[in-house]
Amino acid sequence: MKKLSISEVRYYLFEESPEEEWLDMLRRDERKGVRQLISRYDRQKEKQRAQESAFLDSLFFENQYREKGFTAAAGVDEVGRGPLAGPVTAAAAILPENCFLPGLTDSKKLKKEEREYFYEKLKAESVYHIVHIPAEVIDDINIYQASRKAMKQAVEGLQTKADMLLVDAVTISTNLPQLPLTKGDERSASIAAASVLAKVERDRYMSELTQQYPAYGFDTNMGYGTAQHLAALDRMGPTPEHRRSFAPVRERIQK
C-alpha cells in the first residue's frame, strides 16, 4: 500500500471505517502529523466507547421494569422552573425497546448542537408529548404545582399509554406506578430523553418571543434574570410572559 498523505490519513480515519490491519500499520508511521491524528482517533474512540457504556447503564431502570412485565415506561421531566419569564415546560417520552443513543444525558450537560441532534432523533424514534404551562398559571398556582401539572399533562398526552413512569426527582398526580429518581436525567435514558425534548422546545419558544420583545434578550437568556433582562424590566416593565409572582418581577411592578 502506498504511503498516504496526512490529509488522506485524516479522511480515512474520520470519514471511513478503518480496518485494524491498516490501523496497526498506521501506528508504525513515524510522521508527527500521523501520530497526532492517531492520538485524536484513539481519544474519539475511547469517548465513543464510554458513551455507549454509559447509555446502556442508563437503561437499567427501563430494563428492570420491562423484566417485571411493563412495556411502556415513560420518562418525565420539566425545564424552566427558575426563569422570570416564559412557561414551565414538561415532556414525557417512551423509548423503543432497542433504542441506542450513546451520548444522550441530562440536557444541561449537552451542547446546543448535541441537544438539537438528540431532539430530532427522539422525535423520529420515540413516543413523546410536550406541554407548556404559561406564566399566568404559574402565578396562579405556584411554580412547583405548575411543574407537576405540566408533567401530568405530558403523560396524559402520550399517544401510546404509559404503564409506569420514571420521574425526575418528584412524584406527579397519577394512578400509574412511578419511580422518582434524584438526578433522574443523568440516571435514566427515558428521563434524559424527556429533558432534551422539553429543553429544546422551551428554548425555541423563548427564541421566538424575541421577535415580539427584542429588548429582553429572551433568545440568549431564555427568561433568566440576566443583566440585560433586568435592565429591560426596569425600563419597560413586564411583558405578558413574565411571572409576576417571582420577586424580581414583582418588586419592579411595585416601584
Side-chain angles (χ1 to χ4, degrees):
M1 181 183 294
K2 71 180 182 70
K3 200 169 198 177
L4 299 177
S5 67
I6 301 296
S7 60
E8 288 174 324
V9 170
R10 181 184 297 107
Y11 174 81
Y12 284 114
L13 275 176
F14 299 106
E15 302 297 331
E16 299 289 333
S17 299
E19 296 179 356
E20 284 300 324
E21 183 179 353
W22 184 76
L23 284 172
D24 289 341
M25 180 196 70
L26 205 59
R27 293 183 192 283
R28 295 192 292 272
D29 195 310
E30 296 182 355
R31 287 175 292 174
K32 180 179 179 181
V34 172
R35 293 200 301 272
Q36 290 174 335
L37 287 172
I38 280 289
S39 178
R40 176 183 158 199
Y41 173 84
D42 287 341
R43 290 195 304 271
Q44 182 173 301
K45 285 299 179 182
E46 180 58 33
K47 180 180 178 180
Q48 181 180 333
R49 285 190 291 269
Q51 288 180 335
E52 290 173 353
S53 177
F55 180 76
L56 293 175
D57 288 344
S58 75
L59 291 171
F60 171 80
F61 296 104
E62 288 83 347
N63 291 334
Q64 186 180 61
Y65 280 98
R66 186 171 289 114
E67 290 173 1
K68 295 179 180 179
F70 294 93
T71 59
V76 190
D77 199 8
E78 53 75 27
V79 299
R81 284 199 191 189
L84 306 181
V88 62
T89 302
I94 301 173
L95 297 177
E97 184 172 355
N98 296 318
C99 176
F100 189 60
L101 293 170
L104 176 65
T105 187
D106 172 13
S107 63
K108 296 185 292 296
K109 294 190 171 184
L110 297 172
K111 297 177 182 177
K112 181 179 179 180
E113 58 269 24
E114 293 172 329
R115 289 196 299 266
E116 294 283 348
Y117 166 79
F118 286 119
Y119 175 83
E120 296 301 333
K121 292 283 288 183
L122 290 164
K123 284 183 68 177
E125 297 179 15
S126 69
V127 177
Y128 70 94
H129 189 65
I130 304 168
V131 171
H132 297 299
I133 298 294
E136 60 187 45
V137 176
I138 294 170
D139 289 336
D140 186 43
I141 64 175
N142 75 49
I143 185 61
Y144 176 69
Q145 294 302 333
S147 299
R148 295 178 75 235
K149 182 183 183 76
M151 290 190 281
K152 183 175 187 291
Q153 289 184 1
V155 171
E156 292 171 345
L158 290 167
Q159 290 188 346
T160 297
K161 184 175 173 57
D163 56 10
M164 75 85 50
L165 306 178
L166 298 165
V167 190
D168 187 36
V170 302
T171 58
I172 60 178
S173 178
T174 177
N175 291 326
L176 291 171
Q178 59 185 301
L179 177 65
L181 291 170
T182 303
K183 294 186 178 180
D185 42 14
E186 298 177 22
R187 300 169 63 194
S188 160
S190 298
I191 298 178
S195 169
V196 167
L197 288 164
K199 171 66 174 169
V200 173
E201 198 79 12
R202 187 181 187 279
D203 283 359
R204 291 182 179 183
Y205 179 98
M206 297 305 295
S207 293
E208 289 172 7
L209 283 183
T210 304
Q211 299 175 22
Q212 192 173 356
Y213 308 109
Y216 298 86
F218 290 146
D219 58 333
T220 56
N221 60 48
M222 303 307 162
Y224 284 90
T226 61
Q228 177 190 6
H229 186 177
L230 294 175
L233 265 175
D234 285 331
R235 291 195 317 271
M236 306 170 66
T239 72
E241 293 285 343
H242 278 92
R243 304 172 183 180
R244 284 158 169 76
S245 58
F246 279 40
V249 181
R250 184 177 65 249
E251 290 165 0
R252 283 165 173 79
I253 296 172
Q254 293 171 348
K255 283 182 180 180

